[in-house]
Amino acid sequence: MAALLSGTFLAAGAQAAGGKRNPGEASGTSSALNRVDLKGWAKAQIKADKARHAKARKKPATTTALTSASSAASSSTASAVSRQAARLAPDDVSVQADPTTLVLYDTAGPYGHLGELYAMATANLAGHFGTVTAKPVSQYTAGMLDSYTAVIYIGSTYYCCDTPDAIPAAFYQDALTTTKPVTWMGANIWNMANAVGVPQFTQKYGWDPTTSYYEDGGSVGTMTQVTYKGQTLTRKIPAGQDSGVLRPNVLTGPGYPAVTRLAEGLDSSNDHTFGWAVRSSNLTYLGEIPFAYVSESDRVIVFEDLLFDALAPDTAERHRAIVRLEDISPNSDPDELRDIADYLYSQQIPYGINVLPVYTDPNGTYNNGVPETVKLSQRPQLVSALNYMLARGAVLMNHGYTHQYGNAANPYNGVSGDDFEFYRAHVDAANSVIYDGPVAEDSTAWAQGRVDSALAEFAAAGLPRPTLWTTPHYAASAADYQVFSSNFSARLERSLYFAGTLSGVSSDPNRFIGQFFPYVVRDVYGTKVIPENIGNYEPDEFNNHPPRLPADLIASAKANLAVRDGFASFFYHPYFPVQPLRETIEGIKALGYTFVDPATL
């Protein structure tokens, strides 16, 4: 894996669902890009940018004193606070009442498959605002963007050298002349400037991408943080996988419009700051594509908030929170559930309860070698505790059927709550969980059978039918997600999005991007997803993931205040004491968040 999906990994020493040491969907720190060679992609990007820079050096000098002076000015450090962005006023862009978004992405070159993965992540976020159309940029035709509220281009293929430019001239021209908001991420903005004319580009936008590069002082540096709206956001890229961030060469003087530095990047190798995201006229530019190695406090938050400027600029500031109790099974302790229910009720906090209706230990891992299976209907005291919770603000949610897969170690022991149900996985020699693909019998009919069995057991126990779903360990196939969505009003979770979903072209069945959201979205599967974006309390390290304590969850909630109408959504295992939950909730409330019922979203 190029990166790990936050929220899917377990401890090797886990106990059964409802026991004392099952981390469940315990969060890691990164988003997933599975079976993607990010190291090779980064190397190719840097090589291409160096070639473009070297080619520019060989040309006769044409820059003016004005350009040289402005280049020096743009490389100087500045206060992150003083550089915080003013947003475009609503009348600066054309915005429709029901926002529609056109997402354009690259498909050319040896890493063309990255484009669709990034396009899905972008389309999912834009799905919060309205309808989304995603197309390869090569399919763009003149005037196409006129039909949309805003357009987003994702430059994941660096068009240079051995990879010819696949962007139609019509898109470059339309992007220049439209009054619609254009958001551009990553590569090829310099090709637009060359195509429409560098003077025309600089006079409209106030910066010169043809003299802007990833390098600073001979290398891409070490970009470690982004400051936005008073929040310091993280950027953690493993060594050898960072292609850098474009550093805009902002021009100053008569004839050049002002360029707003929306978010401030910090290169910790030299303490230089620069515009990680800039805006002028109708163009918002991000110097990288922020979907790889994404943590709960990551710079992707900037992009998630900037979408409001393009698609819903009048949105009022609002911050909501969600808490759910995780991995409740027939093996759970009713007294522990009642204790947490009493605390949450005393605070008038609504919450979700994630229940798997059948507990099984097929190999007797925790039962002295004797196989054991217990259903909800066989645990009347547990059902009574669940009804007690429902009467005091809880919302019943379905968390799979058995939350495990047969008698296989998937990846641990076959016990409910410890293992994946809809996806195969193993633990490698480095103690990391590796995805192996959908289960052998995966199909729409098989997944529907699991859901039907789960719902039948809820009914047999006399419980109401759950309307919300959370996928065990957040992992399933695209076909499974469609089944879940046809049976439940929404999923509350992080999800996997597979190559071929947009294109319809069969691809590697285990190539995906994993994503979590700061707000409710309508995703590329056409279904509603309620966010879980700050992880969970986990006091111990596991599978190369550090502990996450109340202070860590609160810090992530604070970072997400940068999203003007966003959430701080987390989960908690009820076998832990009430006190860490109390600390987390009090800290999140102190930031100004209001806890809401997930069933109302």
Side-chain angles (χ1 to χ4, degrees):
M1 290 180 70
L4 305 177
L5 175 64
S6 179
T8 59
F9 301 109
L10 325 175
Q15 290 185 4
K20 301 298 184 184
R21 273 306 305 126
N22 168 37
E25 282 58 49
S27 78
T29 57
S30 304
S31 72
L33 278 167
N34 204 46
R35 297 194 183 177
V36 173
D37 180 15
L38 279 183
K39 188 172 184 178
W41 174 78
K43 185 177 180 180
Q45 292 273 104
I46 294 171
K47 181 180 178 180
D49 202 58
K50 286 182 176 179
R52 180 172 69 92
H53 199 178
K55 185 176 180 181
R57 290 192 191 103
K58 293 177 181 178
K59 292 181 179 180
T62 57
T63 55
T64 65
L66 171 65
T67 303
S68 299
S70 64
S71 179
S74 67
S75 66
S76 62
T77 60
S79 163
V81 174
S82 68
R83 293 287 191 174
Q84 287 308 304
R87 304 188 187 100
L88 284 179
D91 58 354
D92 288 331
V93 294
S94 302
V95 178
Q96 296 169 201
D98 298 312
T100 57
T101 307
L102 175 62
V103 175
L104 300 171
Y105 60 96
D106 295 323
T107 54
Y111 300 98
H113 53 271
L114 261 177
E116 183 183 23
L117 299 178
Y118 289 145
M120 287 189 290
T122 303
N124 288 336
L125 291 170
H128 171 70
F129 301 91
T131 58
V132 184
T133 300
K135 291 178 176 290
V137 69
S138 59
Q139 296 179 10
Y140 185 86
T141 57
M144 184 180 289
L145 61 75
D146 292 337
S147 301
Y148 298 89
T149 305
V151 60
I152 302 169
Y153 166 67
I154 309 159
S156 60
T157 296
Y158 196 120
Y159 295 120
C160 173
C161 314
D162 297 329
T163 307
D165 193 349
I167 301 176
F171 177 62
Y172 290 140
Q173 190 61 40
D174 287 354
L176 178 76
T177 58
T178 187
T179 59
K180 301 289 182 72
V182 175
T183 301
W184 193 299
M185 292 188 284
N188 306 316
I189 188 71
W190 48 85
N191 289 337
M192 175 181 168
N194 283 323
V196 302
V198 175
Q200 287 83 355
F201 187 100
T202 58
Q203 287 164 16
K204 181 170 183 178
Y205 299 120
W207 64 284
D208 185 358
T210 69
T211 55
S212 303
Y213 304 99
Y214 298 145
E215 287 188 357
D216 180 17
S219 75
V220 299
T222 308
M223 240 285 289
T224 56
Q225 70 179 44
V226 175
T227 305
Y228 176 70
K229 291 173 61 176
Q231 302 298 331
T232 298
L233 308 175
T234 57
R235 183 182 186 271
K236 298 179 180 179
I237 311 296
Q241 299 192 26
D242 191 352
S243 65
V245 181
L246 192 79
R247 302 166 192 238
N249 179 17
V250 177
L251 310 177
T252 59
Y256 294 121
V259 177
T260 301
R261 289 164 72 153
L262 300 167
E264 196 83 1
L266 171 66
D267 186 338
S268 61
S269 67
N270 54 24
D271 289 332
H272 287 181
T273 61
F274 61 95
W276 184 87
V278 297
R279 177 179 295 150
S280 51
S281 187
N282 65 315
L283 175 67
T284 299
Y285 177 76
L286 282 64
E288 66 171 327
I289 304 166
F291 292 127
Y293 298 102
V294 175
S295 74
E296 291 83 355
S297 304
D298 190 81
R299 85 281 195 204
V300 73
I301 289 171
V302 180
F303 177 63
E304 293 166 347
D305 184 66
L306 289 177
L307 285 174
F308 285 93
D309 291 343
L311 296 165
D314 293 329
T315 300
E317 195 85 9
R318 177 173 56 166
H319 302 289
R320 291 173 286 177
I322 301 171
V323 58
R324 76 173 195 260
L325 302 182
E326 191 73 356
D327 286 336
I328 300 171
S329 83
N331 200 40
S332 295
D333 185 330
D335 291 335
E336 291 176 343
L337 298 180
R338 289 174 182 269
D339 286 345
I340 287 186
D342 287 343
Y343 164 68
L344 292 171
Y345 182 68
S346 73
Q347 300 300 305
Q348 294 299 293
I349 292 176
Y351 58 101
I353 50 175
N354 247 352
V355 180
L356 51 132
V358 174
Y359 167 82
T360 184
D361 180 355
N363 303 310
T365 300
Y366 301 126
N367 195 38
N368 298 315
V370 179
E372 180 183 26
T373 296
V374 185
K375 299 179 179 181
L376 272 179
S377 55
Q378 297 171 315
R379 289 287 190 266
Q381 289 184 331
L382 189 281
V383 173
S384 175
L386 294 177
N387 281 315
Y388 182 85
M389 301 171 90
L390 294 176
R392 288 160 177 78
V395 173
L396 185 63
M397 300 170 56
N398 192 170
H399 193 30
Y401 177 40
T402 63
H403 204 315
Q404 53 81 241
Y405 178 65
N407 61 359
N410 191 37
Y412 300 117
N413 49 33
V415 181
S416 292
D418 287 0
D419 280 13
F420 290 70
E421 181 171 351
F422 294 89
Y423 218 78
R424 294 307 307 267
H426 73 276
V427 179
D428 69 5
N431 193 31
S432 293
V433 176
I434 304 300
Y435 289 85
D436 298 317
V439 300
E441 62 270 58
D442 184 63
S443 68
T444 297
W446 178 82
Q448 184 63 57
R450 305 293 290 185
V451 171
D452 289 342
S453 295
L455 294 176
E457 184 52 36
F458 280 110
L463 291 167
R465 178 187 173 110
T467 59
L468 301 178
W469 168 274
T470 299
T471 306
H473 292 326
Y474 294 151
S477 70
D480 298 339
Y481 284 122
Q482 297 286 3
V483 169
F484 307 150
S485 298
S486 68
N487 286 273
F488 301 91
S489 63
R491 306 193 316 270
L492 197 170
E493 61 182 21
R494 306 178 179 198
S495 304
L496 309 183
Y497 297 94
F498 293 86
T501 299
L502 298 181
S503 65
V505 176
S506 179
S507 184
D508 183 337
N510 203 28
R511 178 177 287 158
F512 60 73
I513 188 168
Q515 191 175 18
F516 52 92
F517 307 107
Y519 32 62
V520 179
V521 305
R522 182 73 60 175
D523 69 6
V524 294
Y525 299 140
T527 57
K528 183 191 294 185
V529 183
I530 299 170
E532 184 277 281
N533 64 325
I534 66 171
N536 67 293
Y537 171 74
E538 174 50 55
D540 299 316
E541 183 276 339
F542 65 95
N543 287 127
N544 300 312
H545 297 300
R548 277 184 70 78
L549 304 178
D552 299 306
L553 299 179
I554 295 164
S556 293
K558 183 176 183 297
N560 277 274
L561 287 173
V563 180
R564 69 197 70 174
D565 186 14
F567 284 78
S569 178
F570 74 103
F571 62 92
Y572 193 84
H573 290 96
Y575 50 73
F576 286 125
V578 175
Q579 182 58 29
L581 177 62
R582 179 183 291 110
E583 292 175 18
T584 304
I585 286 178
E586 289 179 354
I588 290 174
K589 288 172 67 175
L591 292 172
Y593 285 92
T594 300
F595 281 87
V596 296
D597 182 343
T600 63
L601 300 172

